[in-house]
Amino acid sequence: MAPTSLLTAIDSTSHVHLIVGSNPLAAARCAKSLEVGAKPILIAVASAELHYTLQKRIEAGEVEWQKKLFEDDDLLRLGREDVNGVVDAVFVTLGSRDPLSAHISSICKRNRIPVNVSDAPQFCTFSLLSTHTDGPLQIGVTTNGKGCKLSSRIRREIASSLPPQLGAACDRLGTVRRRIQTEDHLSNLAFAGDIDDEDIDQSSTFNRLVTEADLDAAKNRRMRWLSQICEYWPLRRLANITDADVDSVLKAYAANSSNCSPLETAKLDSRGEKKGRIILAGSGPGHPDLLTRATHKAILAADVILADKLVPSAVLDLIPRRTPVHIARKFPGNADRAQEELLSLGLAGLNKGQTVLRLKQGDPYIYGRGGEEYEFFRKEGFGDAITVLPGITSALSAPLFAGIPPTQRGVSDQVLICTGTGRKGKPSVPPQYVETQTVVFLMALHRISGLVADLTRHDSEDARVVDMDGNLDESRRLWPKDTPCAVLERASCPDQRVLRTTLEWVVAAIEVEGSRPPGLLVLGKACEALYKGDKGRKWVVEEGFKGFEDWMGSGVEELVLENTRPDGVARGDSWGKDLRV
């Protein structure tokens, strides 16, 4: 078996690190040296083109720049005085093909100076680990030169499995260890008569005869208790230890070290469970099979659910009956008040330690106020308790269910998603005509007449622009009235409806056929990329959702798993029923 590397942790405080080169890697090496408390010295000619971050560190005085070529005696004169000028480590960033890399490596090895040469394991006496750092906790991974990308991947996997605040817990347990050792040392000094008993704290049983064996037994009990905590407790429980817990442990042992249970583990476990959490999740366009698995799990695990009014009933049917649900009471003129009510309910749940699911239609960040809600809860002190789960936005999925590809070569090379209604109900600025663009309007059908006027006329009431001389600005390119468009309503739901028409007739089509919210408008030549309109008809109405008709009676999950499903797995089918298979 080939020998492996000796992994060590080096205290580099005040060490001198020599970095040869001026590329981005040199900047990274300087940053790492500063991070561990070392002094980086850069060797590069005055004409070298420095990386931006490296230049900033030099200007700030954090990095010393020796503007010259490398000389052999730099290794033996630029170091600390207490080691006769020898540098503590050398980082060469020139690569393996540069002859200077091999030369510097040879001199360093001859003088027993640790050296690292980028992309050249044969020239190195040490390598840097891919490191995760959390306070005093450091975890390093190396593949011994077999693949730095792989070591980074492994490090990320390990770090993601650790509970938050574990580094702080290490610091607190280190405090317990040091204080136990200090108090034991003082007790032994007092027993030996080297210090007076009055110099140390005394418990209520100080009159009892204390022997040296008693002191050793107490010391062993405390250190054994600490060792068992570190060895056997789950990491999530360890991460929940606070400074107050540390004080209570030491006070308990000081009072009666032979008979105490300093920490209630159930209390620590429940402390972690009761931390409030807010989840901003998108429920997709409507069909429950289009939920992400993460959102479905959040629905099943939430303590309380705050849902938008437009979340379909088939999705709401997946909510367990025991879970309280509040539906937003949004209607014209009450949207802001209803939003404030939802935020208040969410904040109340967080303060109770509940998991609150804010369930939105589509995607939370596509006209779902998700960013505003994230900012609100962060300002309330819950920034680390927010999780955002994406959803399939109807802006892109609804056209798919209607047979409209938003992009297609030779037809449309760009997609614009915009709203037909701005803040406080005000009209938004209409986009100008681009022949190869597909535009998706959300929240626009209630003012379709005004929107069509804005798109096709310069003098419309909501979109007219007048210059300083009072003249009408006609620079905006108008949309031709024969532009194909489609109104898509209740996409992916059983009562889905599609109106295929043009800008000229879309207002009349909605007036005749009525409205079936939620809906959106798709505008552009992509609307006829797959289905050409009937020249003799002003509009065409298509009823029903046919996306999953071949899978009726089973959800997408069952289709994928087929006969491989383990026994006893619960799921919700396409129509929101809870089944056990």
Side-chain angles (χ1 to χ4, degrees):
M1 182 177 178
T4 57
S5 300
L6 175 64
L7 303 184
T8 62
I10 300 174
D11 182 2
S12 298
T13 305
S14 300
H15 283 196
V16 174
H17 291 172
L18 200 66
I19 292 91
V20 182
S22 59
N23 53 21
L25 180 59
R29 294 290 187 252
C30 288
K32 179 59 69 175
S33 294
L34 292 170
E35 182 182 317
V36 299
K39 175 187 176 182
I41 298 179
L42 182 72
I43 302 293
V45 295
S47 60
E49 187 174 334
L50 300 181
H51 188 266
Y52 171 76
T53 57
L54 185 55
Q55 183 67 52
K56 296 292 289 184
R57 293 188 184 279
I58 292 173
E59 292 174 358
E62 298 175 347
V63 177
E64 179 184 338
W65 181 13
Q66 295 276 331
K67 300 179 181 180
K68 66 184 191 66
L69 293 171
F70 172 82
E71 299 175 0
D72 293 355
D73 65 346
D74 290 338
L75 302 172
L76 305 176
R77 67 177 181 84
L78 295 178
R80 295 174 289 151
E81 291 184 5
D82 52 350
V83 291
N84 298 323
V86 179
V87 298
D88 296 286
V90 177
F91 297 93
V92 184
T93 65
L94 306 176
S96 59
R97 296 184 179 182
D98 193 312
L100 187 58
S101 297
H103 176 69
I104 295 176
S105 173
S106 175
I107 299 175
C108 288
K109 290 179 179 179
R110 192 180 312 130
N111 289 278
R112 303 180 68 181
I113 300 173
V115 59
N116 176 273
V117 180
S118 61
D119 297 325
Q122 69 275 20
F123 295 151
C124 300
T125 60
F126 76 97
S127 60
L128 295 179
L129 308 186
S130 179
T131 309
H132 166 72
T133 303
D134 180 9
L137 173 65
Q138 286 186 292
I139 298 175
V141 178
T142 179
T143 57
N144 287 291
K146 305 301 182 183
C148 59
K149 294 294 184 182
L150 179 58
S151 61
S152 296
R153 162 81 184 280
I154 295 172
R155 183 258 305 164
R156 292 195 303 270
E157 293 284 344
I158 294 173
S160 65
S161 68
L162 300 176
Q165 306 301 322
L166 187 58
C170 294
D171 201 20
R172 293 187 179 98
L173 290 172
T175 299
V176 173
R177 181 183 181 85
R178 288 191 300 273
R179 288 179 60 178
I180 287 175
Q181 292 173 336
T182 300
E183 292 179 10
D184 289 338
H185 179 65
L186 291 175
S187 298
N188 286 328
L189 289 178
F191 181 82
D194 294 336
I195 61 173
D196 294 333
D197 289 344
E198 295 179 357
D199 293 336
I200 59 175
D201 293 336
Q202 295 174 322
S203 67
S204 59
T205 59
F206 67 91
N207 282 325
R208 183 175 60 85
L209 178 63
V210 178
T211 65
E212 187 173 3
D214 292 331
L215 293 176
D216 290 338
K219 173 183 177 182
N220 290 336
R221 268 193 302 272
R222 292 195 286 190
M223 295 306 295
R224 187 165 58 249
W225 172 83
L226 184 60
S227 298
Q228 289 175 344
I229 283 181
C230 296
E231 184 72 23
Y232 300 113
W233 277 22
L235 292 180
R236 293 192 180 278
R237 182 182 293 172
L238 280 175
N240 287 328
I241 292 178
T242 65
D243 292 330
D245 294 329
V246 172
D247 291 335
S248 68
V249 168
L250 296 173
K251 288 179 181 178
Y253 270 118
N256 189 354
S257 61
S258 64
N259 183 24
C260 68
S261 179
L263 274 183
E264 296 288 343
T265 57
K267 180 180 178 182
L268 288 176
D269 293 339
S270 63
R271 179 186 298 159
E273 294 170 358
K274 289 184 177 179
K275 185 178 181 180
R277 182 183 177 195
I278 180 76
I279 303 173
L280 309 178
S283 64
H287 199 292
D289 274 348
L290 298 177
L291 283 171
T292 64
R293 293 188 65 184
T295 297
H296 190 198
K297 290 178 181 178
I299 289 174
L300 299 178
D303 295 316
V304 61
I305 295 178
L306 310 176
D308 279 347
K309 183 178 67 174
L310 295 178
V311 175
S313 60
V315 173
L316 297 177
D317 287 343
L318 296 174
I319 300 174
R321 282 185 285 272
R322 68 179 184 277
T323 305
V325 181
H326 183 90
I327 308 297
R329 294 182 286 188
K330 292 187 178 180
F331 52 84
N334 189 57
D336 289 340
R337 187 177 303 172
Q339 180 70 11
E340 292 173 2
E341 181 182 19
L342 288 179
L343 294 176
S344 297
L345 290 171
L347 189 58
L350 284 170
N351 289 325
K352 293 178 183 177
Q354 294 178 323
T355 295
V356 180
L357 173 60
R358 180 70 178 89
L359 191 61
K360 301 171 176 292
Q361 191 187 31
D363 183 274
Y365 280 2
I366 304 296
Y367 295 112
R369 292 196 176 188
E372 297 174 28
E373 294 184 13
Y374 188 104
E375 187 177 19
F376 171 83
F377 290 114
R378 182 172 60 184
K379 287 182 178 179
E380 293 293 335
F382 292 97
D384 60 346
I386 307 174
T387 300
V388 183
L389 302 179
I392 299 176
T393 175
S394 59
L396 299 178
S397 60
L400 181 149
F401 295 130
I404 301 173
T407 64
Q408 181 159 313
R409 289 189 300 174
V411 179
S412 174
D413 58 11
Q414 52 188 280
V415 181
L416 174 64
I417 302 175
C418 53
T419 177
T421 306
R423 299 191 65 179
K424 305 294 184 180
K426 296 180 179 179
S428 59
V429 178
Q432 68 175 349
Y433 174 66
V434 178
E435 184 177 5
T436 60
Q437 185 179 77
T438 301
V439 182
V440 182
F441 289 95
L442 304 177
M443 300 176 290
L445 298 184
H446 66 285
R447 61 172 301 265
I448 187 65
S449 178
L451 177 61
V452 171
D454 294 344
L455 294 170
T456 58
R457 291 163 42 194
H458 289 120
D459 61 348
S460 67
E461 180 180 354
D462 297 324
R464 61 182 288 122
V465 177
V466 178
D467 61 21
M468 297 181 62
D469 297 327
N471 300 318
L472 184 66
D473 184 354
E474 298 183 352
S475 59
R476 176 169 56 92
R477 294 187 65 190
L478 299 178
W479 287 79
K481 290 188 177 182
D482 62 353
T483 303
C485 66
V487 176
L488 316 179
E489 298 172 304
R490 299 189 60 77
S492 78
C493 293
D495 56 345
Q496 171 181 297
R497 185 174 68 177
V498 180
L499 299 178
R500 301 184 190 275
T501 183
T502 62
L503 267 182
E504 182 178 5
W505 298 107
V506 65
V507 175
I510 293 178
E511 289 178 351
V512 172
E513 303 295 340
S515 179
R516 192 180 294 175
L520 54 84
L521 175 70
V522 183
L523 180 61
K525 291 185 177 180
C527 293
E528 290 187 347
L530 301 181
Y531 296 96
K532 301 297 182 183
D534 188 343
K535 297 295 183 181
R537 303 179 64 178
K538 297 176 181 178
W539 63 82
V540 176
V541 181
E542 298 173 2
E543 291 278 0
F545 173 61
K546 304 178 180 62
F548 302 145
E549 62 180 1
D550 294 334
W551 309 333
M552 278 300 180
S554 65
V556 173
E557 180 184 357
E558 184 166 311
L559 178 74
V560 174
L561 292 176
E562 293 180 349
N563 297 324
T564 63
R565 179 189 300 279
D567 294 336
V569 175
R571 66 164 176 83
D573 78 347
S574 299
W575 309 107
K577 299 176 182 177
D578 292 328
L579 301 180
R580 183 165 293 277
V581 296

